[in-house]
Amino acid sequence: MALTEKIEIDRIEVVNNWNIQVRQATTIEKDGLFVSKTFHRWILTPDSDITNQEQKVQDICNAAWTPEVKSAYEAFKQEQENRLG
Amino acid sequence: MSKLETNTIDTISGSTTLTLGGTNANAITIPAGVTLSGNSLALAGNIGLGGATPTTSGTGITFPATASASTDANTLDDYEEGTWTPVDISGASLAFTSNEGTYTKIGRIVIANFIFRYPSNADATAAYVGGLPFTVASGNDNFQGNISTTDYASSDIVIWTTWTPSNGLRIRNYNDSGLSNANLSGKYIGGQTIYRI
């Protein structure tokens, strides 16, 4: 009997322009047959540190976070900060 | 074209399935474990929607790995459960300890539970916690949550608001004043949030 664990980023989504939504799937197989799958999620925004993210996540972030998008994010963030305090 | 008309099929012999239409591409097959009674349908097995492979553990309905959102108000279009990790996003680069969380997404609602402890610090920056599993609906930064356990001053109950720009939690006291990282220095916080995506 052999149990194997496979961990992979199985979803990278750009949501509302600047949010990069990432899902990591952990799949357990027994003798090659599926046993279970669990998920871990996180979100990255233009002010997130992405140096420890997988390269394909970094590539999506860098493609999505154009100077215009970064400016819009900072403006929205400031607006919310002023409103909420 | 042949046509079968019958009021009752009492017995099916030599097979666990009933197939109407033979090998025709449009044949209807009712496998063992499926019961049609009046206008009700009972399944002994599992259901996979939108091409999803039905679960092989337990009994239930499996939604597609990639949700197909419905605009119909009466349609449940997604379900997912998993984990997330609360992290400091105040800009002070604080390292939480004992930080973990779980989530359950039902349709457009996310229920996220969390625990974490602030490190000892004297940072005056407003306290923000990020790492939420799904993007918070744009323009809806007032989803509330509650703290179920903390060693923060008991006379000043901590609540929070989901903060849209960074998809985080804004930690406030009962009087709606934002708390700083220093206010929460060394404090343990556990709670839950429910928000819309």
Side-chain angles (χ1 to χ4, degrees):
Chain A
M1 180 187 78
L3 285 175
T4 57
E5 178 185 72
K6 184 174 71 174
I7 299 175
E8 63 175 352
I9 301 294
D10 73 338
R11 292 187 74 183
I12 307 171
E13 303 162 300
V14 181
V15 182
N16 297 339
N17 297 326
W18 52 65
N19 301 294
I20 310 299
Q21 201 165 268
V22 184
R23 185 173 78 177
Q24 175 183 276
T26 301
T27 305
I28 305 294
E29 292 183 345
K30 178 182 173 185
D31 296 331
L33 296 175
F34 174 82
V35 174
S36 71
K37 180 179 279 189
T38 56
F39 299 120
H40 188 81
R41 280 184 175 269
W42 62 94
I43 303 166
L44 301 166
T45 50
D47 52 2
S48 300
D49 178 2
I50 61 171
T51 52
N52 292 325
Q53 300 294 320
E54 279 191 19
Q55 190 57 51
K56 61 183 179 182
V57 175
Q58 291 189 34
D59 291 345
I60 297 290
C61 290
N62 291 329
W65 295 339
T66 62
E68 292 76 20
V69 168
K70 285 182 177 178
S71 295
Y73 170 74
E74 287 302 327
F76 182 60
K77 194 172 155 183
Q78 190 58 55
E79 173 197 322
Q80 296 288 301
E81 188 69 73
N82 293 340
R83 191 158 64 85
L84 294 174
Chain B
M1 179 182 208
S2 61
K3 186 177 181 182
L4 170 66
E5 291 184 351
T6 180
N7 290 326
T8 306
I9 299 175
D10 285 329
T11 306
I12 307 169
S13 302
S15 174
T16 57
T17 63
L18 166 64
T19 301
L20 303 178
T23 57
N24 189 291
N26 297 316
I28 299 171
T29 299
I30 303 175
V34 177
T35 304
L36 296 170
S37 177
N39 59 1
S40 298
L41 168 65
L43 300 177
N46 297 309
I47 298 174
L49 299 178
T53 302
T55 179
T56 54
S57 64
T59 301
I61 301 170
T62 303
F63 288 84
T66 300
S68 179
S70 170
T71 56
D72 186 281
N74 298 111
T75 299
L76 176 61
D77 56 18
D78 193 25
Y79 178 88
E80 185 180 309
E81 50 194 55
T83 59
W84 65 286
T85 306
V87 295
D88 168 49
I89 56 168
S90 69
S93 301
L94 301 177
F96 292 163
T97 54
S98 303
N99 51 332
E100 53 189 57
T102 62
Y103 69 82
T104 301
K105 179 177 181 289
I106 304 170
R108 66 177 186 173
I109 294 297
V110 177
I111 304 164
N113 299 296
F114 52 83
I115 54 172
F116 53 88
R117 183 180 289 281
Y118 270 85
S120 178
N121 76 93
D123 184 83
T125 311
Y128 288 108
V129 178
L132 284 171
F134 292 90
T135 302
V136 181
S138 180
N140 291 277
D141 44 51
N142 288 317
F143 294 108
Q144 304 293 314
N146 67 284
I147 303 300
S148 56
T149 178
T150 180
D151 50 8
Y152 184 73
S154 59
S155 61
D156 198 9
I157 300 170
V158 179
I159 61 173
W160 61 265
T161 310
T162 303
W163 195 58
T164 307
S166 294
N167 297 288
L169 310 179
R170 179 78 157 99
I171 301 181
R172 299 169 177 272
N173 65 19
Y174 193 68
N175 295 319
D176 201 28
S177 299
L179 297 176
S180 69
N181 290 322
N183 292 141
L184 298 164
S185 176
K187 301 303 181 187
Y188 175 84
I189 294 175
Q192 52 277 145
T193 170
I194 300 174
Y195 65 94
R196 187 164 63 80
I197 65 167

